[in-house]
Amino acid sequence: MNNDNTTKIDSKSIMKFAIPSALGVFIFLFPLPWNGSVNIPIGILSEWLAALIAPAAPTLITIFILISAIMTAITSLLKPKAIIDNKLLSKLFTSSPFYLLFKIIGAVVVLMVYFNVGPEYVISGDTGGTMLSLLKTLVAWFFAASFLIPLLMDFGIMDYTGTLVRNFTQPLFKLPGRSAIDLLASWVGNCNVGVVLTTTQYEQGYYTAREAITIATCFSAVSLPFCLVIAALLKVEHLFIPFYAILTITGILSVVIMTRIPPLSKYPNEYYAPVGKQVNEVEPQGITKSQWALKLAVERAATAPDAKGVLNKGFEMFMGIVFQLTPLVMSFGTIACILATYTPIFQWLSVPFGYYLQMLGVEEAFAAAPATIVGFVDMFLPAVLAANIVSLKTRFIIGILSLVQIIYMTEVGTLIITSKMPVDFKGVLALFLEKTIIALPIIVLLTNIFGIA
């Protein structure tokens, strides 16, 4: 990182920082009324793209997953020089035996779903069919985000806000100031885009492993429009203001607690080894915090890629998502959905949470218990299971919990464990259970304070 104190700050350099950064903040953070609800510009654009590609999306996704599985198998077995020596192709198709296996499973599953051939428990609308449908939306989100995320990352806004709000984020969440924009983008926007933004920052040396894992597992929440969908599904939409207020308060309080205890506190506070630390938010003596913030922002913008560089960067990011993640999301998600839909495993595992809910005074505790843990599979499932619960208060509590948990294997969980962050399946599961245990009493207490009955 350039720390040259002679860096020239003039109107031209400030505009190069300010204009793209303001555009990025608008695209990822600015709420707009849309179709009777509220959405952010990246969400509106992604929905438009999803609708545009909808007719061809299943075919395209199937082709992408097949190419990924075949090329990864060829690379693993034959190690062709043309792929190994090519930086992009090597990144896309070099894989461990574990991930190769699940890429192949993803390819088999997507073919069965696409051609509607095979056992019902694999291709049904509750399992493989759900995953193919989800991927259609995800691909649209990732396409838009891949080319627009540089507006937040490369033009100085994270450096600027990071320096100014360091004294807030560090004592509260044990996170650097630059995470403030990431936290907001992850919380308000799409959870998957939040994870991609965070993992990219980690790989570029701007977060330590512990910081990146904290943000990815605690702040990459579902979007505001989806919160409205869940509230409507549970028939508590008329209580949406207290619903979202309790969701936000619980999210903040749970992170404050979790960052100070294992497992989050045990992750290494070290930067990604290949690049090392690339950030310095502490202002030197003789310069004000705001002056240092502007200096860092201008320096970052000065090194930002041009339009062609942004396009190349976006293309590489999108190719990585399409060929590395979509097969794994298809395989992991389908397996998780099969377990949730066709086996009693979540009924068995949820019994302790039935007693926990009962201890907290939640009505229909054991009927609601499976919904407290099935969110590890997919964010829709808790609301589906809780929709028929008679008690409005219990539905209200479960709805908020499902949106606070935010680690689910059909999307976010898979993105996290397949990233370069040092967290595996067991770590993600431990964080999910810990957040559930911590969040439930907070939600119940706040629900009582708000007088929901």
Side-chain angles (χ1 to χ4, degrees):
M1 181 177 179
N2 180 15
N3 287 326
D4 179 9
N5 289 323
T6 64
T7 301
K8 186 177 180 182
I9 299 178
D10 53 21
S11 58
K12 183 179 179 181
S13 63
I14 292 174
M15 286 300 100
K16 186 174 181 182
F17 145 63
I19 293 174
S21 295
L23 184 59
V25 169
F26 172 76
I27 289 171
F28 284 91
L29 294 176
F30 198 80
L32 296 172
W34 183 256
N35 288 343
S37 180
V38 177
N39 207 339
I40 52 175
I42 183 73
I44 296 169
L45 175 61
S46 299
E47 288 178 7
W48 176 78
L49 282 172
L52 183 68
I53 67 170
T59 301
L60 290 174
I61 290 167
T62 301
I63 291 171
F64 287 145
I65 292 176
L66 283 175
I67 291 173
S68 176
I70 293 168
M71 294 301 292
T72 304
I74 290 172
T75 304
S76 298
L77 296 173
L78 303 178
K79 297 184 171 26
K81 190 174 176 60
I83 294 177
I84 298 297
D85 292 345
N86 184 288
K87 183 179 177 182
L88 177 58
L89 293 180
S90 177
K91 181 181 176 182
L92 295 180
F93 303 122
T94 300
S95 177
S96 68
F98 176 81
Y99 287 122
L100 171 60
L101 172 63
F102 281 95
K103 280 188 173 186
I104 292 170
I105 291 173
V108 172
V109 170
V110 79
L111 281 174
M112 292 168 70
V113 173
Y114 185 77
F115 290 107
N116 198 32
V117 175
E120 180 67 14
Y121 64 84
V122 174
I123 66 173
S124 79
D126 295 322
T127 54
T130 292
M131 293 315 304
L132 185 56
S133 179
L134 274 174
L135 282 173
K136 290 188 291 185
T137 305
L138 278 181
V139 166
W141 268 97
F142 285 135
F143 182 81
S146 294
F147 293 95
L148 294 172
I149 273 180
L151 294 173
L152 287 183
M153 293 197 315
D154 296 337
F155 289 89
I157 188 60
M158 297 183 81
D159 304 82
Y160 184 78
T161 57
T163 302
L164 293 181
V165 304
R166 183 184 71 250
N167 292 343
F168 168 75
T169 57
Q170 184 61 44
L172 197 58
F173 304 126
K174 295 187 177 294
L175 293 171
R178 69 177 290 108
S179 68
I181 290 292
D182 193 346
L183 303 185
L184 286 171
S186 298
W187 190 264
V188 177
N190 179 275
C191 50
N192 305 294
V193 173
V195 171
V196 171
L197 175 59
T198 303
T199 56
T200 303
Q201 289 284 284
Y202 169 65
E203 291 168 19
Q204 292 181 358
Y206 297 113
Y207 294 145
T208 66
R210 181 184 57 76
E211 291 165 352
I213 293 167
T214 299
I215 299 168
T217 57
C218 295
F219 285 97
S220 298
V222 295
S223 63
L224 182 60
F226 186 80
C227 294
L228 283 164
V229 169
I230 292 298
L233 184 59
L234 292 170
K235 299 181 178 64
V236 295
E237 67 271 28
H238 58 293
L239 299 169
F240 188 73
I241 291 176
F243 184 90
Y244 198 75
I246 294 172
L247 164 64
T248 302
I249 295 168
T250 304
I252 292 171
L253 292 178
S254 61
V255 180
V256 170
I257 296 168
M258 289 175 66
T259 54
R260 288 160 170 79
I261 60 175
L264 276 181
S265 64
K266 294 296 184 183
Y267 283 106
N269 204 28
E270 299 170 357
Y271 291 88
Y272 185 49
V275 293
K277 184 177 181 179
Q278 298 292 317
V279 62
N280 178 21
E281 294 175 349
V282 181
E283 66 275 11
Q285 290 185 342
I287 186 171
T288 67
K289 184 178 291 187
S290 58
Q291 289 172 332
W292 183 243
L294 181 60
K295 182 181 185 301
L296 292 180
V298 167
E299 288 177 349
R300 176 69 58 208
T303 62
D306 57 15
K308 182 180 178 182
V310 169
L311 289 175
N312 288 338
K313 202 171 182 178
F315 175 77
E316 288 192 18
M317 183 180 290
F318 182 65
M319 288 296 99
I321 290 165
V322 164
F323 289 114
Q324 290 181 302
L325 291 179
T326 53
L328 300 176
V329 170
M330 190 74 200
S331 56
F332 289 167
T334 301
I335 291 168
C337 287
I338 289 171
L339 291 175
T341 307
Y342 292 96
T343 75
I345 188 167
F346 286 97
Q347 291 282 350
W348 299 338
L349 295 175
S350 69
V351 171
F353 282 94
Y355 288 108
Y356 191 41
L357 290 170
Q358 192 175 62
M359 183 181 71
L360 293 171
V362 177
E363 298 176 20
E364 301 178 74
F366 285 94
T372 64
I373 63 168
V374 77
F376 187 64
V377 175
D378 184 71
M379 59 185 175
F380 261 118
L381 293 178
V384 171
L385 292 184
N388 294 323
I389 290 174
V390 175
S391 169
L392 179 144
K393 184 176 179 179
T394 301
R395 297 199 306 273
F396 185 90
I397 290 168
I398 293 299
I400 294 171
L401 176 67
S402 70
L403 296 169
V404 169
Q405 289 169 322
I406 63 174
I407 305 172
Y408 46 97
M409 292 308 298
T410 51
E411 295 178 47
V412 171
T414 300
L415 295 179
I416 292 171
I417 64 176
T418 56
S419 73
K420 290 184 171 64
M421 295 185 294
V423 58
D424 56 14
F425 177 83
K426 289 187 294 183
V428 168
L429 176 60
L431 287 167
F432 173 86
L433 293 174
E434 181 177 82
K435 173 162 273 198
T436 303
I437 292 166
I438 291 171
L440 265 173
I442 299 173
I443 295 169
V444 173
L445 175 63
L446 292 173
T447 300
N448 291 334
I449 291 173
F450 274 80
I452 307 300

